[in-house]
Amino acid sequence: MSFFSNLRADRFIAQIKSSNDILGPETQKAIAKLKEVGAGAIEPVLAALPDADKQATVAFVDVLSTVATVKTFPQLLEAMVQGSPRVIAGVAWALTSSRGYPPNLLLEALNTPGIPKSALLDVINAHRARLSVRELLTAAYGQEGNEKAAMFKIVAEVADEAAIPELIGRLQGKDTIGRLHILNILARFNRPEVQRALQAQLNDPNKMIRAAALGALARMDGPIDVARVCALLRDAEIEVQNRAVDVLTHARDPNTVRHLVPILKDENENARRAAVEVLNEVGDAGAVRYLLEAIKDDDWWVRSRAGDALGKIGGPKVIDAVLELVREKDEDIRRAAIEILNQTKDERAINHLIDATRDKDWWVSERAVDALAEIGSQRAVPRLLEMLQSGNTKALPIVVRAIGKLGASQSAEVIAPLLQRPEKEIRVEVMAALARLTDEGRADRVRVQLQDQLGNADPTVARAAQRALTELEVRFASDAKLMPPIAVTGTQSSRSAP
């Protein structure tokens, strides 16, 4: 800068700094004259910025904005590297306002050593409409950490449908963080080509990519590759499983249930849980029936895993569907439905289970009794007492056990005579039930009946009597002394006490 230009700039700067009215004609004239100095004004203006007041700062930024060009850009950039915080803020403000230089210079400046990137990124954001998505992406990949995230945020602001091919093409890159950002940007575009590109990422070895792709798909409408998404219900990462559930429940594809069958049979409990969560949202009686039919010929442990998952995790839709299936003609379906209800403890099932105790299939009938006992409703007691008169010897132990869990003290009078039955399985269950049901008024009489069983030659019966007597003592804290256990002899029973 020439000596005379320097003198002129200093004079105008002094006039601006001393003015009390920045909008006054003399001050505005000084600002205009300072702008006419051109590039020669940059150095003295930068020197004046640190101690300038608010009004003068606005004027100086206006001057810098006017003189910012391709030629002066390096000088302004150097000021951002070397200057004080007030100088950096002033130059960044000026570059934000100016359109006198090509914006690609800002992207190149990101690689300048010592450049305050936060301030420069603010300038880039202000000029984002003047930059292409490709230019911004190229610059973003050259950054790290917070700067990369900020650049991709700018890309997201600029990207429109015309940028989709460019964004999809970048999904094949090796930069995982960059791909994650692009997946999040693509999530805004609910288009078939975007959905296909997202689904192609579902098999990626990186869990973050799989999760991000699923998160984007969950925000879209339209058909999905149900088989591929269902496979991710088996994913080792819980977050991926959860997002796969979100995608499937959002899509509500009618083919979903067919692909849930292998997941429901999986050894992994989390996978089975995820499959049931999907079924809770998209399933109905037909869907649950399809699942039960699909697994009925599998090994018992496979059926058990599936039934356990449906029972413990199944929501209202699943339970409603299972309740309908209790009356199915197919014996295997009824059995599976009862087994599921055994896990639910849902009081809506009580009436259905009471009806199921009359099922011609003994297994269904007995498991219905077990389910009623698990639910714990007194509404089942009259039917259980009725079953004692059915003459079904095989079912009596199960029925007595259920009465022991559910019955009132009056039930003890009904089951006590069964101690005279010859079947030890029945007697064992009766003693356990009496210990639970007997009230204090009947305790002494029951204690005598139990003591009579202590001397039974069958050790299973004798041990059951001892356990029942001990339970009575604990319940009533009686001072009466229990008879010591009588040593039992004879052949050990082939069946142990339950």
Side-chain angles (χ1 to χ4, degrees):
M1 182 176 69
S2 70
F3 174 74
F4 292 106
S5 295
N6 197 6
L7 286 177
R8 288 178 64 210
D10 286 343
R11 179 161 52 87
F12 296 141
I13 288 171
Q15 186 177 346
I16 293 169
K17 291 178 74 172
S18 63
S19 173
N20 293 323
D21 182 10
I22 199 69
L23 298 178
E26 291 301 318
T27 307
Q28 287 296 307
K29 184 178 178 180
I31 293 172
K33 291 293 185 181
L34 188 58
K35 289 179 180 179
E36 291 176 0
V37 174
I42 293 177
E43 187 175 330
V45 168
L46 292 175
L49 273 173
D51 61 353
D53 62 17
K54 185 176 180 179
Q55 288 192 99
T57 298
V58 172
F60 294 148
V61 167
D62 183 25
V63 172
L64 291 176
S65 175
T66 300
V67 301
T69 64
V70 174
K71 290 184 178 181
T72 61
F73 188 85
Q75 188 178 356
L76 295 171
L77 198 65
E78 181 65 19
M80 290 187 70
V81 174
Q82 301 292 341
S84 67
R86 292 203 65 185
V87 169
I88 293 171
V91 173
W93 187 0
L95 290 175
T96 296
S97 304
S98 176
R99 294 296 183 270
Y101 61 93
N104 62 294
L105 294 179
L106 296 169
L107 301 181
E108 295 173 7
L110 284 167
N111 299 318
T112 302
I115 193 74
K117 290 193 175 182
S118 177
L120 182 58
L121 285 166
D122 287 340
V123 180
I124 292 172
N125 188 42
H127 289 274
R128 64 182 183 271
R130 302 172 65 205
L131 293 160
S132 70
V133 169
R134 177 171 293 184
E135 288 175 315
L136 290 167
L137 283 172
T138 301
Y141 278 105
Q143 303 306 305
E144 299 291 339
N146 293 335
E147 289 78 22
K148 176 177 282 190
M151 283 298 298
F152 273 104
K153 186 176 180 180
I154 295 172
V155 173
E157 294 288 337
V158 173
D160 56 15
E161 291 191 350
I164 289 176
E166 177 75 27
L167 293 168
I168 289 177
R170 299 272 183 169
L171 285 176
Q172 307 308 317
K174 295 181 179 180
D175 187 325
T176 299
I177 300 302
R179 292 167 65 202
L180 287 172
H181 285 299
I182 289 174
L183 286 169
N184 289 329
I185 295 171
L186 284 171
R188 294 165 39 205
F189 304 103
N190 189 11
R191 292 173 59 95
E193 66 269 32
V194 174
Q195 292 177 348
R196 289 192 295 270
L198 293 174
Q199 290 178 99
Q201 303 298 309
L202 297 181
N203 294 330
D204 195 272
N206 189 294
K207 64 182 181 181
M208 293 188 295
I209 295 293
R210 299 195 302 275
L214 287 166
L217 283 171
R219 295 161 60 182
M220 298 186 177
D221 300 319
I224 62 169
D225 186 339
V226 177
R228 182 178 286 185
V229 178
C230 279
L232 291 176
L233 297 176
R234 285 175 160 146
D235 199 278
E237 299 297 328
I238 296 297
E239 182 181 3
V240 175
Q241 286 186 358
N242 290 339
R243 293 199 178 188
V245 170
D246 292 339
V247 172
L248 292 166
T249 54
H250 178 74
R252 294 186 177 276
D253 190 294
N255 292 316
T256 301
V257 175
R258 179 163 60 90
H259 298 287
L260 291 179
V261 173
I263 312 299
L264 196 60
K265 298 191 291 186
D266 199 275
E267 292 184 6
N268 186 280
E269 182 179 356
N270 288 329
R272 299 197 302 273
R273 179 180 294 274
V276 176
E277 286 184 25
V278 175
L279 191 64
N280 282 337
E281 297 296 328
V282 305
D284 54 18
V288 176
R289 190 182 197 287
Y290 176 88
L291 288 172
L292 297 183
E293 284 183 333
I295 65 175
K296 70 180 183 180
D297 293 328
D298 285 305
D299 291 325
W300 69 267
W301 61 86
V302 175
R303 299 194 306 273
S304 177
R305 282 200 298 257
D308 183 70
L310 288 168
K312 289 183 177 179
I313 311 163
K317 280 190 177 181
V318 172
I319 302 306
D320 289 343
V322 172
L323 290 175
E324 289 186 35
L325 298 176
V326 171
R327 300 186 180 91
E328 274 288 318
K329 293 181 180 180
D330 188 315
E331 181 180 280
D332 292 321
I333 298 295
R334 294 203 310 279
R335 286 189 173 194
I338 290 294
E339 195 60 41
I340 292 169
L341 292 178
N342 254 295
Q343 303 289 337
T344 66
K345 299 182 181 180
D346 192 317
E347 292 199 357
R348 288 178 299 164
I350 292 174
N351 290 338
H352 294 78
L353 290 170
I354 290 174
D355 290 342
T357 62
R358 299 181 173 89
D359 198 283
K360 60 183 179 181
D361 179 359
W362 66 268
W363 196 95
V364 171
S365 174
E366 292 183 10
R367 291 300 282 156
V369 171
D370 287 336
L372 288 166
E374 288 299 317
I375 293 174
S377 173
Q378 294 290 312
R379 287 159 53 193
V381 174
R383 169 56 187 159
L384 295 175
L385 294 176
E386 179 186 333
M387 292 180 73
L388 292 179
Q389 314 303 321
S390 67
N392 185 349
T393 300
K394 181 176 173 55
L396 281 179
I398 297 168
V399 175
V400 171
R401 187 187 310 136
I403 291 172
K405 288 184 178 181
L406 303 179
S409 59
Q410 295 87 340
S411 302
E413 294 289 342
V414 180
I415 64 172
L418 297 177
L419 276 177
Q420 308 306 315
R421 297 278 303 211
E423 301 88 353
K424 71 174 182 180
E425 292 83 0
I426 296 175
R427 298 204 306 278
V428 166
E429 293 296 346
V430 169
M431 287 186 283
L434 287 174
R436 295 190 191 101
L437 298 176
T438 299
D439 58 22
E440 195 166 6
R442 298 179 176 87
D444 289 338
R445 185 175 14 152
V446 170
R447 185 178 291 109
V448 171
Q449 291 175 302
L450 293 174
Q451 287 171 341
D452 288 343
Q453 299 291 327
L454 286 173
N456 194 285
D458 190 315
T460 301
V461 176
R463 284 194 296 268
Q466 182 66 62
R467 285 195 301 270
L469 283 166
T470 301
E471 185 171 344
L472 278 179
E473 284 299 297
V474 170
R475 284 184 60 206
F476 299 117
S478 172
D479 292 333
K481 301 296 184 181
L482 287 177
M483 292 178 61
I486 297 177
V488 294
T489 59
T491 304
Q492 177 70 31
S493 170
S494 59
R495 293 179 63 188
S496 60

